[in-house]
Amino acid sequence: MKILYSSLRELTPDQRNLLAEKYRVKKQPYIRDDVLAEKRGLSLSEYRKVRNYIERRLHPIILKNNEKYEDEFRKALELTRN
């Protein structure tokens, strides 16, 4: 979770809100794109274009943070073994 939350902090508040509307639901299935597009006053294709842009932007950030925290995790394990 640390990787996800630290990655999300690198997005703008509006970008985080859009992803939260889509994915932060108590149970699946996720809210359909057409419902969220209408809520935001966008066409379905516009909404998907924006969401896909944000998800593509988030992906390399997650990979970078994964490497960062993987290093920290490995170092912490080494400390506990000594």
Side-chain angles (χ1 to χ4, degrees):
M1 293 305 273
K2 188 174 187 176
I3 294 167
L4 175 62
Y5 288 123
S6 62
S7 300
L8 288 170
R9 276 195 302 248
E10 296 189 38
L11 299 177
T12 68
D14 286 339
Q15 291 172 330
R16 283 193 302 268
N17 287 337
L18 186 136
L19 293 180
E21 287 174 348
K22 175 71 178 174
Y23 298 111
R24 190 171 41 187
V25 294
K26 294 182 186 209
K27 60 180 182 175
Q28 296 203 7
Y30 299 120
I31 301 170
R32 293 189 335 253
D33 284 352
D34 61 328
V35 172
L36 293 170
E38 184 177 330
K39 178 181 176 184
R40 288 180 163 264
L42 299 171
S43 71
L44 179 58
S45 65
E46 290 172 323
Y47 172 81
R48 284 184 173 158
K49 189 182 296 183
V50 170
R51 182 176 53 79
N52 287 331
Y53 167 79
I54 296 167
E55 289 171 349
R56 282 192 315 272
R57 183 167 180 253
L58 184 60
H59 184 77
I61 297 169
I62 288 174
L63 293 176
K64 174 191 73 167
N65 285 323
N66 183 48
E67 289 178 23
K68 174 183 173 183
Y69 292 114
E70 185 178 318
D71 250 8
E72 286 182 20
F73 179 70
R74 192 171 5 86
K75 288 177 184 175
L77 279 179
E78 288 172 10
L79 288 173
T80 61
R81 289 183 187 148
N82 295 327

